[in-house]
Amino acid sequence: MASLNISADDLSCPVCCEIFKDPVLLSCSHSFCKECLQQFWRTKETRECPVCRRLSSHDPLCNLVLKNLCDSLLKERTERRSSGSEQICNLHSEKLKLFCLEDKQPVCLVCRDSQQHDNHKFRPISEAVSICKEELNTALKTLQDKIQHSENIKGVLEETVQHIKSQAEHTEHQIKQQFEKLHQFLRDEEEATITALREEEEQKKKMMKEKLEDINRHISDLSHTIKDLEEMMKENDVCFLKKFPVSMERVQISQPDPQTPSGALIHVPRYLGNLSFRVWKKMQDIVQNTPVILDPNTANPHLILSDDLTSVRYSENKQLLPDNPERFDESFYVLGSEGFNSGTHCWDVDVKETQYWSLGVTTASNQRKGRNFYKINMWSVSYKVLTQTSFPVKKKLDRVRVDLDYDRGTVSFSDPYGCDWAAADHMTDIQQTHSH
Protein backbone atom coordinates (compact mmCIF):
# COMPACT_ATOMS: atom_id res chain seq x y z
CA MET A 1 0.00 0.00 0.00
CA ALA A 2 1.33 3.45 -0.92
CA SER A 3 2.18 5.81 1.91
CA LEU A 4 -0.33 8.59 2.60
CA ASN A 5 0.99 12.13 1.99
CA ILE A 6 -1.16 13.55 4.74
CA SER A 7 0.22 15.02 7.96
CA ALA A 8 -1.13 14.18 11.38
CA ASP A 9 -2.30 17.80 11.75
CA ASP A 10 -4.67 17.34 8.80
CA LEU A 11 -6.24 14.37 10.54
CA SER A 12 -6.26 15.81 14.08
CA CYS A 13 -9.34 16.80 16.01
CA PRO A 14 -9.43 20.60 16.73
CA VAL A 15 -10.56 19.86 20.29
CA CYS A 16 -8.18 17.11 21.53
CA CYS A 17 -5.45 17.67 18.88
CA GLU A 18 -5.14 13.93 18.37
CA ILE A 19 -5.98 11.67 15.45
CA PHE A 20 -9.76 11.53 14.92
CA LYS A 21 -11.65 8.81 16.75
CA ASP A 22 -15.13 8.16 15.31
CA PRO A 23 -15.12 11.50 13.39
CA VAL A 24 -18.46 13.28 12.82
CA LEU A 25 -19.30 16.11 10.40
CA LEU A 26 -21.36 19.24 11.23
CA SER A 27 -23.43 21.24 8.78
CA CYS A 28 -20.68 23.87 8.82
CA SER A 29 -18.29 21.27 7.32
CA HIS A 30 -16.08 21.04 10.44
CA SER A 31 -15.22 17.59 11.78
CA PHE A 32 -14.57 16.48 15.35
CA CYS A 33 -14.23 13.32 17.39
CA LYS A 34 -17.69 12.23 18.37
CA GLU A 35 -16.79 12.11 22.07
CA CYS A 36 -15.00 15.50 21.95
CA LEU A 37 -18.03 17.19 20.35
CA GLN A 38 -20.49 15.72 22.84
CA GLN A 39 -18.25 16.77 25.73
CA PHE A 40 -18.03 20.33 24.29
CA TRP A 41 -21.80 20.57 23.90
CA ARG A 42 -22.37 19.35 27.44
CA THR A 43 -20.03 22.03 28.72
CA LYS A 44 -21.48 24.90 26.60
CA GLU A 45 -25.07 23.68 26.86
CA THR A 46 -25.49 24.78 23.22
CA ARG A 47 -25.09 22.86 19.97
CA GLU A 48 -22.56 25.22 18.38
CA CYS A 49 -19.45 24.38 16.39
CA PRO A 50 -16.29 24.50 18.56
CA VAL A 51 -14.47 26.25 15.67
CA CYS A 52 -16.88 28.68 13.97
CA ARG A 53 -19.52 28.88 16.74
CA ARG A 54 -22.27 28.25 14.21
CA LEU A 55 -25.30 26.53 15.72
CA SER A 56 -26.09 23.11 14.35
CA SER A 57 -29.71 22.29 13.81
CA HIS A 58 -29.09 18.70 12.82
CA ASP A 59 -27.38 15.81 14.52
CA PRO A 60 -23.77 15.34 13.37
CA LEU A 61 -23.17 12.82 10.64
CA CYS A 62 -20.51 10.13 10.67
CA ASN A 63 -17.62 11.22 8.45
CA LEU A 64 -16.76 7.90 6.82
CA VAL A 65 -14.16 9.32 4.46
CA LEU A 66 -12.24 10.94 7.30
CA LYS A 67 -12.60 7.81 9.43
CA ASN A 68 -11.12 5.67 6.66
CA LEU A 69 -8.21 8.08 6.24
CA CYS A 70 -7.48 8.00 9.98
CA ASP A 71 -7.68 4.21 10.06
CA SER A 72 -5.31 4.00 7.10
CA LEU A 73 -2.84 6.35 8.80
CA LEU A 74 -2.95 4.38 12.05
CA LYS A 75 -2.49 1.11 10.15
CA GLU A 76 0.53 2.51 8.32
CA ARG A 77 2.06 3.59 11.62
CA THR A 78 1.47 0.14 13.08
CA GLU A 79 3.22 -1.47 10.12
CA ARG A 80 6.15 0.90 10.49
CA ARG A 81 6.50 0.10 14.18
CA SER A 82 6.38 -3.62 13.50
CA SER A 83 9.13 -3.27 10.89
CA GLY A 84 11.34 -1.37 13.33
CA SER A 85 11.51 1.75 11.20
CA GLU A 86 9.05 3.85 13.24
CA GLN A 87 10.64 7.20 14.10
CA ILE A 88 7.43 9.21 14.11
CA CYS A 89 5.44 10.45 17.11
CA ASN A 90 2.17 8.56 17.43
CA LEU A 91 0.36 11.70 18.54
CA HIS A 92 1.75 14.35 16.23
CA SER A 93 3.34 12.43 13.33
CA GLU A 94 6.55 14.38 13.91
CA LYS A 95 10.02 12.91 14.07
CA LEU A 96 11.19 11.75 17.50
CA LYS A 97 14.19 14.01 18.12
CA LEU A 98 14.21 14.35 21.92
CA PHE A 99 14.23 12.06 24.98
CA CYS A 100 12.22 12.96 28.09
CA LEU A 101 14.36 12.26 31.17
CA GLU A 102 11.31 12.13 33.45
CA ASP A 103 9.09 9.85 31.37
CA LYS A 104 12.02 7.91 29.85
CA GLN A 105 10.41 8.08 26.40
CA PRO A 106 11.37 9.53 22.98
CA VAL A 107 9.23 12.60 22.10
CA CYS A 108 8.83 15.03 19.25
CA LEU A 109 9.13 18.82 19.37
CA VAL A 110 5.36 19.19 19.71
CA CYS A 111 5.34 16.82 22.69
CA ARG A 112 8.07 18.92 24.35
CA ASP A 113 5.80 22.00 24.20
CA SER A 114 2.65 20.17 25.30
CA GLN A 115 1.16 20.35 28.78
CA GLN A 116 1.97 16.70 29.38
CA HIS A 117 5.69 17.49 29.50
CA ASP A 118 5.65 20.76 31.45
CA ASN A 119 8.89 21.35 33.41
CA HIS A 120 10.42 18.13 32.05
CA LYS A 121 14.08 17.85 31.04
CA PHE A 122 15.02 16.66 27.57
CA ARG A 123 18.13 15.46 25.77
CA PRO A 124 18.79 14.87 22.07
CA ILE A 125 18.18 11.29 20.96
CA SER A 126 21.86 10.64 20.20
CA GLU A 127 22.98 12.00 23.57
CA ALA A 128 20.21 10.12 25.41
CA VAL A 129 21.27 6.87 23.74
CA SER A 130 24.80 7.24 25.11
CA ILE A 131 23.51 8.05 28.58
CA CYS A 132 21.03 5.16 28.59
CA LYS A 133 23.56 2.70 27.21
CA GLU A 134 26.03 3.72 29.89
CA GLU A 135 23.37 3.20 32.57
CA LEU A 136 22.39 -0.10 31.01
CA ASN A 137 26.02 -1.23 30.82
CA THR A 138 26.40 -0.39 34.52
CA ALA A 139 23.25 -2.37 35.28
CA LEU A 140 24.49 -5.25 33.11
CA LYS A 141 27.83 -5.22 34.93
CA THR A 142 25.94 -5.40 38.23
CA LEU A 143 23.89 -8.33 36.95
CA GLN A 144 27.01 -10.05 35.65
CA ASP A 145 28.69 -9.56 39.05
CA LYS A 146 25.60 -11.02 40.71
CA ILE A 147 25.72 -14.00 38.36
CA GLN A 148 29.41 -14.51 39.14
CA HIS A 149 28.71 -14.21 42.86
CA SER A 150 25.81 -16.64 42.54
CA GLU A 151 28.04 -19.05 40.60
CA ASN A 152 30.65 -18.81 43.36
CA ILE A 153 28.03 -19.44 46.03
CA LYS A 154 26.67 -22.31 43.94
CA GLY A 155 30.16 -23.85 43.83
CA VAL A 156 30.53 -23.42 47.58
CA LEU A 157 27.12 -25.00 48.17
CA GLU A 158 27.96 -27.94 45.92
CA GLU A 159 31.24 -28.43 47.78
CA THR A 160 29.34 -28.12 51.05
CA VAL A 161 26.93 -30.87 49.97
CA GLN A 162 29.86 -33.19 49.27
CA HIS A 163 31.50 -32.19 52.55
CA ILE A 164 28.26 -32.86 54.44
CA LYS A 165 28.14 -36.32 52.90
CA SER A 166 31.79 -36.93 53.80
CA GLN A 167 31.21 -35.59 57.33
CA ALA A 168 28.19 -37.84 57.82
CA GLU A 169 30.03 -40.94 56.57
CA HIS A 170 33.10 -40.23 58.73
CA THR A 171 30.97 -39.41 61.77
CA GLU A 172 28.91 -42.58 61.29
CA HIS A 173 32.13 -44.60 61.11
CA GLN A 174 33.38 -42.99 64.33
CA ILE A 175 30.03 -43.60 66.04
CA LYS A 176 30.14 -47.26 65.09
CA GLN A 177 33.71 -47.54 66.39
CA GLN A 178 32.81 -45.91 69.70
CA PHE A 179 29.75 -48.08 70.17
CA GLU A 180 31.71 -51.16 69.14
CA LYS A 181 34.12 -50.40 72.00
CA LEU A 182 31.19 -50.12 74.38
CA HIS A 183 29.60 -53.27 72.97
CA GLN A 184 32.90 -55.12 73.32
CA PHE A 185 33.22 -53.91 76.90
CA LEU A 186 29.70 -55.12 77.65
CA ARG A 187 30.39 -58.44 75.96
CA ASP A 188 33.58 -58.84 77.98
CA GLU A 189 31.73 -57.96 81.20
CA GLU A 190 28.96 -60.39 80.31
CA GLU A 191 31.47 -63.13 79.63
CA ALA A 192 33.42 -62.40 82.84
CA THR A 193 30.24 -62.39 84.93
CA ILE A 194 28.99 -65.63 83.42
CA THR A 195 32.45 -67.19 83.85
CA ALA A 196 32.43 -66.26 87.54
CA LEU A 197 28.95 -67.76 87.83
CA ARG A 198 30.10 -70.97 86.16
CA GLU A 199 33.15 -71.18 88.45
CA GLU A 200 30.97 -70.80 91.54
CA GLU A 201 28.60 -73.37 90.12
CA GLU A 202 31.46 -75.86 89.70
CA GLN A 203 32.79 -75.13 93.20
CA LYS A 204 29.36 -75.60 94.78
CA LYS A 205 28.70 -78.74 92.77
CA LYS A 206 32.13 -80.15 93.76
CA MET A 207 31.43 -79.36 97.41
CA MET A 208 28.05 -81.07 97.24
CA LYS A 209 29.59 -84.06 95.51
CA GLU A 210 32.12 -84.41 98.35
CA LYS A 211 29.30 -84.10 100.86
CA LEU A 212 27.35 -86.79 99.04
CA GLU A 213 30.36 -89.09 99.06
CA ASP A 214 30.77 -88.58 102.83
CA ILE A 215 27.11 -89.35 103.42
CA ASN A 216 27.30 -92.44 101.28
CA ARG A 217 30.29 -93.66 103.30
CA HIS A 218 28.43 -92.85 106.51
CA ILE A 219 25.38 -94.75 105.36
CA SER A 220 27.57 -97.68 104.34
CA ASP A 221 29.28 -97.75 107.76
CA LEU A 222 25.93 -97.61 109.54
CA SER A 223 24.60 -100.36 107.35
CA HIS A 224 27.53 -102.62 108.21
CA THR A 225 27.17 -101.84 111.90
CA ILE A 226 23.46 -102.68 111.82
CA LYS A 227 24.12 -105.87 109.97
CA ASP A 228 26.80 -106.94 112.47
CA LEU A 229 24.53 -106.14 115.40
CA GLU A 230 21.69 -108.09 113.92
CA GLU A 231 24.01 -111.08 113.41
CA MET A 232 25.27 -110.77 116.98
CA MET A 233 21.75 -110.74 118.35
CA LYS A 234 21.10 -114.07 116.69
CA GLU A 235 23.93 -115.78 118.59
CA ASN A 236 23.44 -117.68 121.90
CA ASP A 237 23.18 -115.80 125.09
CA VAL A 238 26.73 -116.30 126.31
CA CYS A 239 28.27 -115.17 123.02
CA PHE A 240 25.86 -112.22 122.81
CA LEU A 241 26.80 -111.06 126.29
CA LYS A 242 30.49 -111.41 125.59
CA LYS A 243 30.21 -109.15 122.47
CA PHE A 244 27.72 -106.76 123.99
CA PRO A 245 30.19 -104.23 125.55
CA VAL A 246 32.18 -103.95 122.36
CA SER A 247 29.04 -103.65 120.26
CA MET A 248 27.59 -100.90 122.45
CA GLU A 249 30.86 -99.01 122.31
CA ARG A 250 30.79 -99.36 118.54
CA VAL A 251 27.28 -97.89 118.44
CA GLN A 252 28.13 -95.03 120.78
CA ILE A 253 31.24 -93.94 118.91
CA SER A 254 29.46 -93.82 115.54
CA GLN A 255 29.83 -90.59 113.58
CA PRO A 256 27.29 -87.78 114.09
CA ASP A 257 24.40 -87.44 111.74
CA PRO A 258 25.27 -85.41 108.59
CA GLN A 259 23.72 -81.92 108.18
CA THR A 260 22.79 -79.92 105.11
CA PRO A 261 25.74 -77.50 104.53
CA SER A 262 25.10 -73.74 104.60
CA GLY A 263 26.11 -71.57 101.64
CA ALA A 264 25.59 -74.43 99.29
CA LEU A 265 23.43 -72.43 96.83
CA ILE A 266 24.58 -69.95 94.17
CA HIS A 267 25.12 -66.41 95.50
CA VAL A 268 22.65 -64.91 92.98
CA PRO A 269 22.74 -61.30 94.32
CA ARG A 270 26.48 -61.26 93.65
CA TYR A 271 25.70 -61.44 89.93
CA LEU A 272 22.30 -59.77 89.55
CA GLY A 273 22.36 -57.21 92.33
CA ASN A 274 22.78 -53.69 90.79
CA LEU A 275 24.22 -55.36 87.73
CA SER A 276 23.67 -52.36 85.43
CA PHE A 277 25.05 -49.93 88.01
CA ARG A 278 28.15 -52.02 88.66
CA VAL A 279 28.82 -52.35 84.94
CA TRP A 280 28.32 -48.59 84.52
CA LYS A 281 30.82 -47.94 87.32
CA LYS A 282 33.37 -50.14 85.60
CA MET A 283 32.60 -48.43 82.27
CA GLN A 284 33.72 -45.14 83.76
CA ASP A 285 37.25 -46.51 83.84
CA ILE A 286 37.34 -46.76 80.04
CA VAL A 287 35.59 -43.48 79.16
CA GLN A 288 36.68 -39.89 79.66
CA ASN A 289 34.74 -36.65 79.92
CA THR A 290 36.52 -33.86 78.06
CA PRO A 291 35.37 -30.36 79.13
CA VAL A 292 36.22 -28.79 75.76
CA ILE A 293 35.24 -30.49 72.50
CA LEU A 294 36.55 -28.79 69.35
CA ASP A 295 34.19 -27.76 66.57
CA PRO A 296 35.59 -28.89 63.16
CA ASN A 297 33.28 -26.46 61.36
CA THR A 298 35.26 -23.53 62.80
CA ALA A 299 38.77 -24.90 62.21
CA ASN A 300 41.17 -23.16 59.86
CA PRO A 301 41.87 -25.45 56.84
CA HIS A 302 45.48 -25.88 58.01
CA LEU A 303 44.34 -27.38 61.33
CA ILE A 304 43.65 -31.12 61.56
CA LEU A 305 41.50 -32.36 64.43
CA SER A 306 41.72 -35.77 66.03
CA ASP A 307 38.88 -38.24 65.55
CA ASP A 308 37.60 -37.65 69.07
CA LEU A 309 37.77 -33.83 68.56
CA THR A 310 39.94 -33.31 71.65
CA SER A 311 43.26 -32.36 70.03
CA VAL A 312 44.49 -30.45 66.99
CA ARG A 313 47.68 -30.17 64.97
CA TYR A 314 48.95 -27.84 62.26
CA SER A 315 49.56 -29.01 58.70
CA GLU A 316 51.41 -27.21 55.90
CA ASN A 317 48.92 -28.65 53.43
CA LYS A 318 45.64 -26.81 53.31
CA GLN A 319 42.58 -29.04 53.48
CA LEU A 320 39.77 -28.63 50.95
CA LEU A 321 36.99 -27.48 53.28
CA PRO A 322 33.88 -25.34 52.67
CA ASP A 323 34.38 -21.65 53.42
CA ASN A 324 31.34 -21.57 55.70
CA PRO A 325 30.66 -18.42 57.78
CA GLU A 326 31.75 -20.13 61.02
CA ARG A 327 35.24 -21.08 59.77
CA PHE A 328 38.43 -19.09 60.38
CA ASP A 329 39.97 -18.59 56.94
CA GLU A 330 43.19 -16.72 57.82
CA SER A 331 43.79 -17.05 61.57
CA PHE A 332 44.93 -20.50 62.71
CA TYR A 333 42.13 -20.93 65.25
CA VAL A 334 39.45 -23.47 66.11
CA LEU A 335 36.61 -22.92 68.58
CA GLY A 336 35.08 -25.19 71.17
CA SER A 337 31.77 -26.78 70.24
CA GLU A 338 29.94 -25.35 73.26
CA GLY A 339 30.03 -21.92 74.86
CA PHE A 340 29.44 -20.69 78.38
CA ASN A 341 27.01 -18.01 79.51
CA SER A 342 27.28 -18.40 83.30
CA GLY A 343 29.19 -20.08 86.13
CA THR A 344 32.83 -21.02 86.59
CA HIS A 345 34.69 -23.47 84.37
CA CYS A 346 38.16 -24.99 84.33
CA TRP A 347 40.04 -27.22 81.92
CA ASP A 348 43.63 -28.28 81.20
CA VAL A 349 45.26 -28.25 77.77
CA ASP A 350 48.15 -30.59 77.00
CA VAL A 351 50.83 -28.67 75.07
CA LYS A 352 53.94 -30.72 75.78
CA GLU A 353 54.12 -32.11 72.24
CA THR A 354 53.60 -28.68 70.64
CA GLN A 355 56.37 -26.27 69.71
CA TYR A 356 54.03 -23.35 68.93
CA TRP A 357 50.67 -22.84 70.55
CA SER A 358 48.04 -20.28 71.51
CA LEU A 359 44.96 -20.94 73.61
CA GLY A 360 42.30 -19.08 75.52
CA VAL A 361 38.70 -17.87 75.35
CA THR A 362 36.87 -15.61 72.92
CA THR A 363 33.40 -14.27 72.15
CA ALA A 364 30.90 -15.94 69.86
CA SER A 365 30.85 -12.81 67.69
CA ASN A 366 34.58 -12.95 67.08
CA GLN A 367 35.80 -12.09 63.61
CA ARG A 368 36.19 -15.28 61.58
CA LYS A 369 37.35 -13.89 58.25
CA GLY A 370 40.61 -12.05 57.57
CA ARG A 371 43.69 -11.73 59.76
CA ASN A 372 43.21 -8.41 61.55
CA PHE A 373 44.38 -9.12 65.11
CA TYR A 374 43.18 -5.74 66.32
CA LYS A 375 39.59 -6.75 65.58
CA ILE A 376 39.81 -10.12 67.31
CA ASN A 377 38.14 -10.07 70.73
CA MET A 378 40.17 -12.73 72.54
CA TRP A 379 41.87 -13.42 75.88
CA SER A 380 44.67 -15.92 75.44
CA VAL A 381 48.25 -16.96 76.09
CA SER A 382 50.74 -18.14 73.49
CA TYR A 383 54.15 -19.75 73.24
CA LYS A 384 56.39 -18.69 70.33
CA VAL A 385 53.37 -17.27 68.48
CA LEU A 386 53.55 -13.64 67.34
CA THR A 387 50.14 -12.14 68.09
CA GLN A 388 48.82 -8.85 69.40
CA THR A 389 46.07 -10.51 71.44
CA SER A 390 47.97 -12.96 73.68
CA PHE A 391 50.11 -12.91 76.80
CA PRO A 392 53.53 -14.29 75.81
CA VAL A 393 54.76 -17.36 77.66
CA LYS A 394 58.52 -17.86 77.79
CA LYS A 395 58.53 -21.02 79.89
CA LYS A 396 58.26 -24.41 78.22
CA LEU A 397 55.16 -26.08 79.69
CA ASP A 398 53.61 -29.51 79.53
CA ARG A 399 50.11 -28.36 80.38
CA VAL A 400 48.20 -25.10 80.74
CA ARG A 401 45.17 -24.65 82.99
CA VAL A 402 42.40 -22.23 81.97
CA ASP A 403 40.07 -20.88 84.68
CA LEU A 404 36.98 -19.01 83.50
CA ASP A 405 34.65 -17.16 85.85
CA TYR A 406 31.87 -15.91 83.62
CA ASP A 407 29.87 -14.19 86.34
CA ARG A 408 32.88 -12.14 87.48
CA GLY A 409 34.10 -11.65 83.93
CA THR A 410 37.62 -13.01 84.49
CA VAL A 411 39.87 -15.61 82.94
CA SER A 412 43.26 -16.81 84.18
CA PHE A 413 45.95 -19.11 82.83
CA SER A 414 48.33 -21.11 84.99
CA ASP A 415 50.74 -24.01 85.18
CA PRO A 416 48.85 -26.80 87.02
CA TYR A 417 52.13 -27.56 88.77
CA GLY A 418 53.00 -23.94 89.48
CA CYS A 419 51.21 -20.61 89.92
CA ASP A 420 49.22 -18.13 87.85
CA TRP A 421 51.32 -16.16 85.39
CA ALA A 422 48.67 -14.54 83.18
CA ALA A 423 45.20 -13.19 83.76
CA ALA A 424 42.64 -10.91 82.12
CA ASP A 425 39.82 -9.07 83.87
CA HIS A 426 36.50 -7.45 82.97
CA MET A 427 35.64 -9.51 79.92
CA THR A 428 32.29 -8.87 78.26
CA ASP A 429 29.94 -11.15 76.35
CA ILE A 430 32.06 -14.29 76.64
CA GLN A 431 30.23 -16.96 74.67
CA GLN A 432 32.81 -19.40 73.29
CA THR A 433 35.99 -21.22 74.31
CA HIS A 434 38.76 -22.07 71.91
CA SER A 435 42.05 -23.89 72.05
CA HIS A 436 44.69 -24.65 69.45
Side-chain angles (χ1 to χ4, degrees):
M1 180 178 69
S3 176
L4 295 174
N5 294 321
I6 301 176
S7 67
D9 292 338
D10 296 332
L11 299 179
S12 297
C13 172
V15 177
C16 66
C17 299
E18 296 184 3
I19 303 298
F20 285 108
K21 296 179 181 178
D22 296 330
V24 292
L25 180 65
L26 297 180
S27 57
C28 61
S29 299
H30 290 123
S31 296
F32 307 93
C33 294
K34 182 177 179 180
E35 179 63 29
C36 293
L37 181 61
Q38 291 177 351
Q39 179 66 29
F40 182 81
W41 282 355
R42 284 193 296 269
T43 303
K44 292 292 185 179
E45 297 182 352
T46 59
R47 296 169 63 89
E48 63 180 28
C49 174
V51 176
C52 64
R53 305 301 179 182
R54 179 180 174 179
L55 294 177
S56 178
S57 57
H58 302 287
D59 292 334
L61 300 175
C62 178
N63 193 337
L64 292 176
V65 176
L66 184 59
K67 183 177 185 301
N68 291 334
L69 287 173
C70 292
D71 290 345
S72 298
L73 180 62
L74 294 175
K75 182 178 180 182
E76 182 178 353
R77 287 182 175 180
T78 302
E79 291 176 351
R80 286 180 180 179
R81 283 195 297 269
S82 63
S83 63
S85 61
E86 177 60 42
Q87 303 293 333
I88 304 299
C89 176
N90 292 336
L91 299 178
H92 309 108
S93 297
E94 297 289 338
K95 288 186 178 181
L96 300 173
K97 295 184 177 181
L98 300 174
F99 183 78
C100 178
L101 298 180
E102 278 73 14
D103 294 337
K104 304 295 182 184
Q105 290 293 332
V107 296
C108 67
L109 296 177
V110 179
C111 291
R112 179 193 62 184
D113 298 331
S114 66
Q115 183 179 1
Q116 180 182 356
H117 294 277
D118 277 351
N119 299 321
H120 288 189
K121 293 183 179 180
F122 302 89
R123 292 289 184 275
I125 289 293
S126 59
E127 183 178 337
V129 168
S130 299
I131 295 174
C132 292
K133 284 186 177 180
E134 183 177 351
E135 291 181 1
L136 190 59
N137 283 331
T138 302
L140 287 174
K141 181 64 168 59
T142 301
L143 293 178
Q144 290 170 352
D145 291 342
K146 287 186 176 182
I147 288 179
Q148 184 61 45
H149 178 70
S150 298
E151 290 290 342
N152 293 339
I153 296 298
K154 177 184 176 182
V156 172
L157 294 179
E158 290 175 347
E159 292 176 358
T160 303
V161 169
Q162 294 300 320
H163 187 68
I164 290 173
K165 180 180 179 181
S166 175
Q167 271 189 318
E169 291 175 351
H170 180 72
T171 304
E172 180 180 350
H173 178 69
Q174 293 298 113
I175 291 173
K176 289 182 177 180
Q177 280 192 336
Q178 292 293 327
F179 273 98
E180 177 57 30
K181 291 180 180 179
L182 298 177
H183 293 160
Q184 186 60 47
F185 172 81
L186 293 176
R187 287 193 291 267
D188 293 343
E189 282 298 309
E190 177 186 8
E191 183 178 354
T193 304
I194 293 177
T195 299
L197 173 63
R198 297 296 184 217
E199 290 176 354
E200 182 178 357
E201 177 189 11
E202 292 299 323
Q203 291 175 358
K204 295 296 176 68
K205 287 167 62 176
K206 180 179 180 181
M207 180 183 69
M208 297 307 295
K209 183 178 180 180
E210 292 175 352
K211 292 291 183 181
L212 285 173
E213 291 176 353
D214 291 341
I215 290 176
N216 288 332
R217 285 194 295 271
H218 183 66
I219 293 174
S220 178
D221 292 342
L222 292 177
S223 297
H224 285 94
T225 300
I226 292 172
K227 184 178 181 181
D228 292 343
L229 291 176
E230 289 177 345
E231 292 294 332
M232 183 191 70
M233 292 176 66
K234 292 179 181 180
E235 294 181 359
N236 57 49
D237 295 341
V238 175
C239 291
F240 169 77
L241 292 175
K242 287 181 178 181
K243 295 180 180 179
F244 175 75
V246 177
S247 299
M248 284 300 298
E249 182 180 359
R250 182 179 177 185
V251 172
Q252 290 174 353
I253 64 174
S254 63
Q255 296 179 359
D257 295 335
Q259 303 293 325
T260 303
S262 61
L265 300 180
I266 297 293
H267 195 334
V268 176
R270 179 183 299 165
Y271 307 101
L272 296 183
N274 291 323
L275 177 61
S276 300
F277 178 77
R278 289 186 289 106
V279 172
W280 173 75
K281 291 287 289 184
K282 286 185 178 181
M283 189 177 293
Q284 289 182 325
D285 296 334
I286 68 168
V287 297
Q288 294 180 347
N289 178 31
T290 305
V292 176
I293 299 298
L294 303 179
D295 183 359
N297 295 336
T298 66
N300 179 279
H302 285 281
L303 300 180
I304 300 177
L305 275 60
S306 61
D307 289 337
D308 60 359
L309 306 179
T310 60
S311 63
V312 59
R313 63 181 177 86
Y314 174 81
S315 173
E316 291 289 345
N317 298 323
K318 185 176 182 180
Q319 302 175 88
L320 296 177
L321 299 174
D323 188 21
N324 49 300
E326 301 86 357
R327 190 178 305 282
F328 286 93
D329 59 350
E330 294 293 337
S331 302
F332 299 141
Y333 296 148
V334 57
L335 297 182
S337 61
E338 296 183 6
F340 307 117
N341 55 18
S342 64
T344 58
H345 309 273
C346 176
W347 62 94
D348 292 348
V349 182
D350 190 349
V351 295
K352 62 182 178 181
E353 301 297 333
T354 307
Q355 294 183 352
Y356 307 93
W357 53 262
S358 176
L359 61 93
V361 297
T362 185
T363 59
S365 58
N366 200 349
Q367 174 179 313
R368 309 292 177 89
K369 306 302 179 183
R371 198 177 176 85
N372 190 341
F373 291 115
Y374 294 100
K375 292 184 179 180
I376 296 179
N377 194 20
M378 179 173 62
W379 297 265
S380 62
V381 292
S382 62
Y383 181 71
K384 293 185 179 181
V385 176
L386 299 178
T387 171
Q388 300 292 332
T389 61
S390 297
F391 293 104
V393 177
K394 298 181 180 179
K395 177 183 177 182
K396 177 62 176 177
L397 300 173
D398 292 340
R399 182 169 295 183
V400 176
R401 176 163 297 170
V402 183
D403 287 284
L404 170 66
D405 189 333
Y406 187 97
D407 300 326
R408 294 176 56 191
T410 63
V411 61
S412 63
F413 307 91
S414 62
D415 180 354
Y417 311 107
C419 59
D420 292 358
W421 33 256
D425 297 330
H426 307 299
M427 297 184 300
T428 58
D429 190 28
I430 298 175
Q431 294 293 330
Q432 281 284 359
T433 63
H434 89 273
S435 168
H436 87 272

